[in-house]
Amino acid sequence: MAADLYGEMQLEAHPPARHSARDYMHGVLVTAIAALAAAWLADHYAVPLVLMGLLIGLALSFLSQDKRTHAGLDLMSQTALRIGIVLVGARITAAQLVDLGPLPFALLVAIMIAVIVITVASARLFRQDRHAALLAGGATAICGASAALALYSLIGDKRVDQARFTLTLVGITVASALAMTLYPVLAAQLGLTDAQAGFLIGASIHDVAQAIGGGFSFSAPAGEVATIVKLTRVALLAPMLMLVGLWLAHSKDDAAGKTRIPLRLPWFILGFLAIAAINSLVAIPKPFTDGAATAAQALLLLAIVATAMKARLHLLLDQGWRSFAPIIVATVTSFLLSLGGALLL
């Protein structure tokens, strides 16, 4: 399964197991070795670092079948990613938000609603369950696998079974990986500016790590815009859960009953905003910002490698193409609407 950025929301219902340093060692070591290999290959063959890390991680996904690697892979795919996002805040200032303007944020809300509505509406066309389509649409519109986990805790296994949920996670992970590879190339072919490419990538790629990586693979300014746009999408998870909760409460087949909806923002978004605010108010020394940028890149690489190693790609072979229809519809809709929004900037 992909990284759970919003895992905090389920800690109360599912308390995490306690691990010793020895439990983390195997997963951390294989992730670090794979990341070093990706860095070496990217440096010697002029291949994007994030893309190489993803490919090597997918090639080593069989290692996740060893239970000894689970704790370390979870640590790298969750905690490393969150800390990396916090450190990316050192590259962001309020001036960049002002330069971006209010229009992109309004477009993000419109895109989020449109992706969910269109995906759910298309479910009947492909003879798919509307709750599974809601899961795919909501996860695509917000932040990929992490939003899927939060949504699934709200929708419940009585509406969407565990097998379908796992399939959605795999499909979203693969779609996000392909998008991270293709969207920067398409943005370059279309002649988009850094701001337009950053908006397109940040508004359409599902998972946080891939969106940030795809943005920086286009250019550093595009990566900064993609980070702002993507984290704004993540912040929209709470209001989206409220809307989904209200819709489920009024649906005729409400079998799960009333569900408490979590509304708090996770600590890594608050940390990102705090560092960005400090960077806007005071001049942070250049050695610190350079070190933060290097550390963020390393942590994001580790997170991507670990996330790819946890992917269960073999499940794709056991499903018919119709099962992926909601994910395909949501992904294509998100890309087209984001491209239209980018062209308006």
Side-chain angles (χ1 to χ4, degrees):
M1 291 170 59
D4 175 12
L5 304 184
Y6 267 76
E8 298 94 335
M9 293 182 175
Q10 302 184 46
L11 289 181
E12 183 177 352
H14 305 283
R18 294 183 178 273
H19 296 288
S20 65
R22 185 182 181 87
D23 295 328
Y24 294 107
M25 181 178 64
H26 297 89
V28 171
L29 282 178
V30 296
T31 303
I33 293 172
L36 289 173
W40 189 89
L41 291 171
D43 181 62
H44 284 71
Y45 294 98
V47 180
L49 177 61
V50 175
L51 174 59
M52 186 56 65
L54 179 66
L55 294 177
I56 291 179
L58 291 174
L60 297 176
S61 61
F62 64 91
L63 292 176
S64 64
Q65 298 177 15
D66 190 330
K67 293 183 178 180
R68 294 175 297 177
T69 65
H70 289 181
L73 291 178
D74 289 341
L75 179 69
M76 290 291 98
S77 62
Q78 297 176 23
T79 305
L81 175 59
R82 294 164 179 169
I83 296 175
I85 291 173
V86 171
L87 294 178
V88 170
R91 304 181 61 126
I92 309 300
T93 64
Q96 293 170 324
L97 295 175
V98 173
D99 292 340
L100 200 60
L103 178 59
F105 297 98
L107 290 173
L108 284 178
V109 175
I111 291 171
M112 177 191 75
I113 296 174
V115 168
I116 295 174
V117 171
I118 292 173
T119 304
V120 174
S122 69
R124 181 174 298 179
L125 176 64
F126 295 100
R127 299 196 295 273
Q128 296 296 303
D129 179 72
R130 60 174 180 167
H131 293 110
L134 174 63
L135 180 65
T140 300
I142 302 298
C143 50
S146 52
L149 288 159
L151 270 172
Y152 188 63
S153 67
L154 190 63
I155 295 174
D157 57 5
K158 292 184 179 179
R159 298 187 180 97
V160 179
D161 59 30
Q162 181 66 40
R164 186 55 187 267
F165 171 60
T166 303
L167 174 67
T168 301
L169 280 179
V170 173
I172 288 173
T173 302
V174 173
S176 188
L178 293 174
M180 185 191 71
T181 305
L182 296 177
Y183 290 2
V185 176
L186 291 175
Q189 292 296 320
L190 293 172
L192 300 183
T193 65
D194 289 333
Q196 290 175 327
F199 180 87
L200 169 64
I201 293 169
S204 57
I205 295 182
H206 311 334
D207 283 319
V208 175
Q210 284 87 346
I212 295 175
F216 280 105
S217 70
F218 184 89
S219 70
E224 293 167 359
V225 173
T227 300
I228 297 171
V229 172
K230 182 60 190 176
L231 292 180
T232 301
R233 287 173 64 195
V234 177
L236 292 174
L237 178 59
M240 184 201 63
L241 289 175
M242 293 179 63
L243 294 176
V244 171
L246 290 174
W247 181 71
L248 292 174
H250 289 85
S251 63
K252 295 180 180 179
D253 57 343
D254 183 22
K258 296 182 179 179
T259 306
R260 181 174 175 268
I261 303 173
L263 301 178
R264 68 177 187 269
L265 288 175
W267 64 265
F268 67 90
I269 292 183
L270 297 178
F272 169 86
L273 295 175
I275 291 184
I278 294 173
N279 194 27
S280 302
L281 296 174
V282 298
I284 298 180
K286 192 174 185 301
F288 178 83
T289 57
D290 291 343
T294 302
Q297 185 181 35
L299 290 169
L300 291 175
L301 175 61
L302 289 169
I304 289 174
V305 171
T307 300
M309 291 175 65
K310 293 167 63 178
R312 312 290 180 120
L313 298 183
H314 64 279
L315 294 178
L316 295 174
L317 301 176
D318 300 330
Q319 303 292 330
W321 71 271
R322 290 184 184 276
S323 300
F324 296 96
I327 300 172
I328 296 172
V329 170
T331 300
V332 172
T333 302
S334 178
F335 173 77
L336 293 177
L337 292 178
S338 299
L339 178 59
L343 295 175
L344 292 176
L345 299 180

